[in-house]
Amino acid sequence: LQKVHVLPQTVLYIADAETFSGHEECHEQKKARKRNSKETAVALEKLLPKRCQVLGLVTPGIVVTPMGSSSNQPQEIEEGEAGFALLFPKIDGVKIHTFHFSKDLKNRVFDESKFAEAGLKNNPDLRVVLLFGYNSWKSGATRFLHQIVNPLNEKSIILAGGQVESFTSLTSENTSAQPGDACGVVGLAFSGPQIQSATVLLDQDVADERTAEAAMQRLKAASIPEHNTIGFMFACVGRGYRHYKTKRNMEADAFRKFFPNIPLFGFFGHGEIGCDRIVTGNFVLRECNDIKDDLLHGYTTVMTLIHLGSTK
């Protein structure tokens, strides 16, 4: 952070599982030992301001746009160690905050009053919610995710995200329950009247360059301003080069063709959250599908644009 002149208030960092569970040399025992994910998280978060909200995720693969690259070509990294961190400073007219809901083993019904406490209900400025389920293999995890997603499935809010392997952040709200003890949902909420956003869903039938680019054309048609905008890609681990017959980086390349100046970030996970949905500047929703939105998917990709308003 030595060259950072504007300190971050909110940080989202995502790394693949190999990065967080790799090996490091242990000098006392003269041999390599497996790193603990908490140790890696602590070391990383010590670099950030103490009052900074931090959300850290571990996923099977990463989508990242290297900001130091002159070409800024987004990359789908499905194997090997990789990660990124998005540092959000204070932005006039925009509020970004983290939230965390863990499954209560004693109660089958989720207490929806927690939504208001987290700023996800009774908040007229709420525009975008990025949701990430963890420990999806646990009993009751899918039902719990439905209990979180369904009440938030409003036409005026963009919902996007997916199932990750775990979360490592030590500064998320409500971290009394350790990630390994239960399943739950963490995320980021974006509030502010100037925020604009859109998502498109690439379903299983999108399996070649032509159909991938057609999905990006739908996203382009949303007319989201490209300046001060971030792209997110949440894809199934079953997609990528396996789905596109060994051709790598297909969806990231299709995104860049239509959005050459918007950086793209995201991950490969175990389930996707999202649909075709657009919230425009005058806050009028236009949908590509007339049927009831189904937000939980498998073997798909969700592409999302979030515009944070004009910069002075």
Side-chain angles (χ1 to χ4, degrees):
L1 294 176
Q2 293 179 356
K3 296 183 179 180
V4 176
H5 298 286
V6 180
L7 291 177
Q9 288 199 336
T10 308
V11 174
L12 170 66
Y13 70 84
I14 304 179
D16 71 289
E18 190 173 341
T19 298
F20 268 83
S21 62
H23 290 79
E24 64 181 10
E25 186 176 336
C26 182
H27 295 291
E28 287 104 15
Q29 299 176 1
K30 302 296 183 183
K31 64 179 181 180
R33 69 178 180 88
K34 197 168 186 179
R35 274 199 309 263
N36 181 299
S37 62
K38 282 284 183 68
E39 294 174 340
T40 307
V42 168
L44 178 60
E45 292 174 18
K46 280 183 177 178
L47 301 174
L48 301 169
K50 289 184 178 180
R51 295 183 180 179
C52 184
Q53 294 186 101
V54 183
L55 177 58
L57 306 175
V58 176
T59 62
I62 297 295
V63 179
V64 61
T65 302
M67 301 309 289
S69 169
S70 58
S71 62
N72 287 335
Q73 174 73 36
Q75 300 175 10
E76 300 175 18
I77 304 175
E78 299 180 60
E79 294 106 7
E81 296 187 18
F84 65 84
L86 296 179
L87 283 66
F88 296 95
K90 181 179 180 181
I91 304 171
D92 290 340
V94 175
K95 181 180 179 182
I96 306 172
H97 69 269
T98 62
F99 59 87
H100 175 206
F101 304 123
S102 58
K103 186 176 184 295
D104 187 342
L105 300 178
K106 298 178 182 178
N107 298 315
R108 286 178 57 83
V109 179
F110 180 73
D111 180 4
E112 293 194 9
S113 68
K114 294 181 179 178
F115 285 130
E117 295 174 10
L120 301 179
K121 284 288 184 181
N122 305 320
N123 178 2
D125 288 333
L126 181 64
R127 297 294 185 266
V128 183
V129 180
L130 298 183
L131 296 156
F132 310 109
Y134 63 88
N135 287 350
S136 59
W137 52 272
K138 290 266 188 177
S139 175
T142 300
R143 183 174 181 273
F144 182 75
L145 183 58
H146 275 283
Q147 290 181 326
I148 301 300
V149 170
N150 290 345
L152 298 176
N153 189 6
E154 299 178 5
K155 303 300 184 184
S156 59
I157 301 172
I158 293 293
L159 296 178
Q163 297 272 21
V164 302
E165 294 199 353
S166 62
F167 85 96
T168 62
S169 170
L170 305 179
T171 60
S172 291
E173 300 174 9
N174 225 5
T175 52
S176 56
Q178 294 299 319
D181 295 338
C183 58
V185 175
V186 294
L188 288 177
F190 295 77
S191 301
Q194 66 197 37
I195 295 174
Q196 299 183 47
S197 185
T199 60
V200 293
L201 177 70
L202 285 67
D203 61 23
Q204 298 183 36
D205 294 336
V206 177
D208 56 35
E209 187 173 13
R210 178 184 60 83
T211 51
E213 290 186 357
M216 301 309 156
Q217 285 180 314
R218 295 206 312 276
L219 193 60
K220 186 78 172 180
S223 299
I224 301 297
E226 297 190 18
H227 181 66
N228 205 22
T229 296
I230 306 170
F232 287 98
M233 172 178 164
F234 305 116
C236 178
V237 290
R239 291 183 73 86
Y241 71 88
R242 299 174 187 85
H243 181 65
Y244 288 101
K245 307 294 191 270
T246 72
K247 186 167 184 179
R248 294 179 179 270
N249 229 63
M250 176 75 79
E251 292 174 347
D253 286 346
F255 178 88
R256 187 173 187 265
K257 180 176 180 178
F258 289 90
F259 305 99
N261 300 313
I262 297 179
L264 182 68
F265 302 94
F267 59 74
F268 290 89
H270 302 294
E272 300 76 58
I273 302 170
C275 64
D276 279 20
R277 182 174 289 181
I278 300 165
V279 175
T280 59
N282 59 2
F283 209 48
V284 175
L285 181 77
R286 302 195 308 274
E287 289 191 272
C288 301
N289 299 320
D290 294 328
I291 60 175
K292 173 72 175 174
D293 292 328
D294 182 9
L295 292 176
L296 302 183
H297 312 278
Y299 213 60
T300 63
T301 298
V302 174
M303 289 286 190
T304 305
L305 295 176
I306 302 178
H307 172 65
L308 299 173
S310 61
T311 55
K312 295 179 181 179

